Amino acid sequence: MDSRLEAVRDTVLARNPGEKEFHQAVTEVFESLGPVHDRHPEFLEGAVLERLCEPERQIIFRVPWTDDAGRVHVNRGFRVEFNSALGPYKGGLRFHPSVYLGIVKFLGFEQIFKNALTGMPIGGGKGGSDFDPRGRSDSEIMRFCQSFMTELYRHIGEYTDVPAGDIGVGGREIGYLFGQYKRITNRYESGVLTGKGISWGGSLVRPEATGYGTVIFAQEMLKTRGQSFDGQRVVVSGSGNVAIHAIAKAQSLGATVVACSDSAGYIVDEAGIDVGLLSQIKEVERGRLTEYAARRSGANHVAGGSVWDVTGTVALPCATQNELDGDAAAKLVSNGLIAVAEGANMPSTRAAVSVFQEAGILFGPGKAANAGGVATSALEMQQNASRDSWSFEHTEQRLTEIMVGIHDRCAETADAYGAPGNYVVGANIGGFVKVADAMLAQGLI
């Protein structure tokens, strides 16, 4: 790391103790930015990095709610409004017991660069709660969402901060959140949340967008080496929304997706994952992958272990942060891996990224490869603002154009800064320069 940036990084880490995910995200970005500051000393003079690493606003609040038995529970809610240089804060809400300030800040920091890479006029933010929706009834989730929005509503708006979904927050939760926002404010402000239902302001392709976008980005990487998804053997982690649609898109391009996972283990289906069955079990029945193996002839379930033990030529980590470590990366490489595209946020550890890059593996970081979700959220905002509704085909075409543009921007930026083929450098520098220019243009903010 450039010594000028190392001093800034050390100060950031000291100011934010105990937030290991945020530390990891900051360090990963700083390691790319030395050449930028050689060309743009004004960024150092204007303390852009110091300002960029300090959120414009951090909101922490209590979320009291009652379960179906009348017992009172108290969770903690968060919204980190990180940077608005390019537009209103934009980023999802995550409901998961692992959520704390460090995770929300890591996600929000990554979101700044991701949103900049889309070319859309949106800033970076993130939020969520340590509430666990698993095993809760619809009524309990509704009461929690209503309590959460009762505090959050005062901080958001279509020109201020536009949340969306993330882990644990899907169409059901967005519906409850939007209903409470409308009830409190007496405004039908469609643009205040994205990921809405199609019949009340949502966008076609939004459920598919992150998974589809990840595969589109991977396809563009493969093209640089004269390859495609056709005939590839693909391994995917996770089995939620992103993973399901990544599987569907990869298989539509000719790949065979042989494995995916959940918290209890993974399945191997040599014939290719049956997306319809997987979606029925995970999204409709909210069941486990053991049920897939029980209902799909030829599929096997492996309890525990790592899905990365399965041999594949393309890996799509779509579960959660730091799920793929250095040992798993080395095993994938030894088993014939040629490409990785991150469908989740920072799913590969720094050690894993080093293994991939040293082996010459095509590696698409999450801030570029999984930007399809937020890009389509911005398209939903456009439709809401114009009171319009686009077809699936038109929206998918726009998503494809955006993802191809992100790939090309990362590749061209990496070339321009002396790191050809390094999509990590390209994504970090490409996103940073756009935000830094806007920050300097807007004065000391």
Side-chain angles (χ1 to χ4, degrees), residues 218-228 232 313 336-340 356-363 407 420-423:
Q219 177 87 328
E220 293 303 304
M221 289 197 301
L222 288 166
K223 285 180 183 178
T224 66
R225 296 187 181 176
Q227 298 174 296
S228 72
Q232 302 293 348
T313 55
L337 186 75
I338 62 172
V340 180
F356 293 140
Q357 292 181 328
E358 289 170 8
I361 304 299
L362 292 165
F363 178 76
H407 170 272
N422 190 326
Y423 291 95

Side-chain angles (χ1 to χ4, degrees), residues 327-391:
D327 290 340
K331 187 161 191 176
L332 284 167
V333 171
S334 69
N335 285 338
L337 186 75
I338 62 172
V340 180
E342 295 186 324
N345 293 303
M346 206 171 72
S348 306
T349 66
R350 293 179 66 200
V353 176
S354 295
V355 169
F356 293 140
Q357 292 181 328
E358 289 170 8
I361 304 299
L362 292 165
F363 178 76
K367 63 171 62 73
N370 73 31
V374 73
T376 307
S377 284
L379 298 179
E380 182 177 328
M381 292 166 67
Q382 285 186 9
Q383 293 170 78
N384 293 159
S386 61
R387 299 292 193 268
D388 201 357
S389 180
W390 301 344
S391 69

Side-chain angles (χ1 to χ4, degrees), residues 16-26 58 60 76 78 80 82 94 98-110 126 321 346:
N16 299 275
E19 298 173 359
K20 61 181 182 178
E21 296 87 359
F22 180 53
H23 295 178
Q24 180 181 345
V26 167
Q58 301 181 66
I60 304 176
R76 184 171 289 175
F78 303 90
V80 174
F82 226 115
R94 175 176 294 191
S98 66
V99 169
Y100 78 109
L101 186 59
I103 281 182
V104 177
K105 285 169 67 176
F106 126 64
L107 292 168
F109 185 72
E110 291 274 293
K126 207 74 177 183
Q321 67 271 2
M346 206 171 72

Side-chain angles (χ1 to χ4, degrees), residues 42-121:
E42 67 273 18
F43 293 159
L44 282 174
E45 294 164 7
V48 170
L49 276 173
E50 290 90 334
R51 289 189 277 152
L52 190 64
C53 292
E54 188 67 28
E56 293 175 12
R57 193 169 295 106
Q58 301 181 66
I59 304 151
I60 304 176
F61 51 95
R62 181 179 63 200
V63 188
W65 59 282
T66 56
D67 64 22
D68 290 340
R71 291 185 294 267
V72 175
H73 300 260
V74 179
N75 286 95
R76 184 171 289 175
F78 303 90
R79 188 67 181 173
V80 174
E81 297 174 335
F82 226 115
N83 189 283
S84 60
L86 299 179
Y89 311 106
K90 186 80 191 79
L93 299 170
R94 175 176 294 191
F95 292 169
H96 191 273
S98 66
V99 169
Y100 78 109
L101 186 59
I103 281 182
V104 177
K105 285 169 67 176
F106 126 64
L107 292 168
F109 185 72
E110 291 274 293
Q111 201 78 43
I112 299 168
F113 304 93
K114 181 189 303 186
N115 293 0
L117 288 169
T118 68
M120 311 293 276

